[in-house]
């Protein structure tokens, strides 16, 4: 579904991503793990068209994403849940969800999908008319995920969904990620919480200072001495 080849992204003189290659197959959960500053979020932002690559290619279902604007990438079936959630303050929960469907014209379909989001995240239904800024961190993460799902993505990009959340919310967020995947959405997951990410992932890649240094199945990486020492406190 997604093929990233020899990707390089620079911030001025800093090489944030160096010759990175990986793939995401339809139906998978694939995770990129690594320390803060490893280049994970930069890769996701480049896939979404929010950063420009210096070299390499990003191909989604045969289409070169590097030739498309961000809004056109969304229209191809890719949605991103950004790091830090970035809900729209001053808008209600419902209005935030509707913003996720801004490219859609099927009013009846939008209403039906709103109900599906409310079934998946009951707390959002309870707070439907509440200003999104007044939600807790975990509730805002659920809102950001629900907003992305309103675009009906085939590929969902998740950037640090557990960041800053209480343990009870972290467990719930990863349960929801697995559920979304089981319902047919392919997931590319960026996470510092390596253990949780690898437990739900089919495959994973380990990034260090902008380079992929290790790859394997989620189980293989969980059991890797290198990963355990660096990220799991082993």
């Amino acid at each position: 579904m997604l093929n990233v080849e020899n990707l390089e992204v620079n911030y001025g003189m800093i090489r944030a991503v160096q010759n990175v290659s990986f793939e995401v197959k339809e139906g998978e959960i694939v995770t990129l793990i690594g320390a803060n500053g490893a280049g994970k979020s930069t890769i996701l932002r480049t896939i979404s068209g929010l950063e420009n690559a210096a070299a390499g290619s990003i191909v989604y279902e045969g289409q070169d994403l590097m030739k498309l604007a961000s809004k056109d990438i969304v229209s191809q079936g890719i949605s991103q849940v950004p790091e830090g959630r970035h809900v729209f303050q001053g808008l209600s929960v419902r209005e935030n969800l509707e913003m996720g469907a801004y490219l859609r014209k099927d009013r009846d379909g939008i209403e039906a999908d709103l109900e599906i989001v409310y079934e998946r995240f009951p707390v959002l239904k309870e707070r439907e008319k509440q200003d999104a800024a007044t939600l807790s961190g975990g509730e805002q993460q659920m809102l950001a995920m629900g907003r992305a799902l309103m675009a009906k993505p085939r590929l969902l990009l998740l950037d640090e969904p557990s960041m800053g959340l209480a343990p009870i919310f972290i467990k719930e967020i990863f349960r929801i990620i697995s559920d979304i995947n089981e319902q047919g959405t392919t997931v590319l997951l960026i996470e510092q919480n390596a253990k949780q990410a690898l437990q739900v992932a089919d495959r994973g890649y380990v990034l260090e200072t902008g380079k992929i240094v290790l790859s394997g199945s989620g189980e293989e990486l969980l059991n890797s001495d290198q990963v355990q020492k660096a990220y799991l406190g082993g």
Side-chain angles (χ1 to χ4, degrees):
M1 178 179 267
L2 181 73
N3 193 40
V4 176
E5 288 281 350
N6 305 318
L7 186 66
E8 294 194 13
V9 185
N10 302 327
Y11 294 129
M13 299 297 291
I14 299 171
R15 298 181 68 196
V17 177
Q18 304 176 47
N19 200 34
V20 163
S21 299
F22 66 92
E23 65 178 13
V24 180
K25 298 174 184 176
E26 186 169 0
E28 285 188 315
I29 298 177
V30 172
T31 187
L32 306 182
I33 64 170
N36 192 28
K40 306 185 303 299
S41 292
T42 298
I43 292 170
L44 227 57
R45 287 175 58 81
T46 307
I47 293 169
S48 293
L50 301 173
E51 301 287 353
N52 294 320
S57 66
I58 303 171
V59 177
Y60 169 74
E61 295 192 322
Q63 175 121 13
D64 183 358
L65 295 187
M66 288 166 64
K67 294 180 179 179
L68 300 180
S70 295
K71 67 180 180 64
D72 297 321
I73 291 172
V74 174
S75 71
Q76 294 297 311
I78 300 176
S79 289
Q80 179 169 345
V81 179
E83 180 183 347
R85 301 175 272 283
H86 295 286
V87 299
F88 297 112
Q89 298 186 17
L91 296 183
S92 69
V93 166
R94 183 186 176 95
E95 288 167 337
N96 266 266
L97 292 172
E98 289 174 339
M99 288 293 286
Y102 77 102
L103 287 177
R104 294 174 59 182
K105 305 290 188 252
D106 56 326
R107 190 71 241 172
D108 290 345
I110 291 171
E111 288 297 325
D113 286 337
L114 264 173
E115 290 308 312
I116 291 171
V117 168
Y118 286 148
E119 286 175 16
R120 180 168 277 140
F121 306 101
V123 69
L124 300 184
K125 178 65 173 177
E126 294 170 17
R127 296 176 176 23
E128 183 179 30
K129 297 179 181 178
Q130 196 169 315
D131 186 329
T134 65
L135 300 180
S136 71
E139 290 164 351
Q140 287 190 15
Q141 184 62 54
M142 292 179 186
L143 178 55
M145 292 171 70
R147 182 179 61 192
L149 290 172
M150 286 299 296
K152 293 187 76 69
R154 297 187 57 243
L155 174 61
L156 183 65
L157 310 179
L158 292 166
D159 195 349
E160 303 284 7
S162 74
M163 181 179 286
L165 300 187
I168 189 169
F169 270 121
I170 292 174
K171 185 176 181 180
E172 178 68 4
I173 288 297
F174 278 97
R175 184 195 66 75
I176 291 166
I177 291 169
S178 293
D179 180 55
I180 289 169
N181 177 248
E182 287 170 7
Q183 296 298 316
T185 304
T186 304
V187 176
L188 176 57
L189 168 66
I190 306 300
E191 255 299 333
Q192 284 189 57
N193 190 328
K195 183 175 182 179
Q196 290 280 2
L198 292 171
Q199 283 177 340
V200 301
D202 296 291
R203 294 185 302 108
Y205 298 85
V206 180
L207 276 105
E208 290 181 5
T209 59
K211 300 176 182 177
I212 290 176
V213 296
L214 200 62
S215 65
S217 70
E219 185 175 0
E220 287 168 347
L221 293 179
L222 264 177
N223 295 322
S224 159
D225 289 341
Q226 185 177 342
V227 171
Q228 292 215 5
K229 289 175 183 175
Y231 305 105
L232 305 179

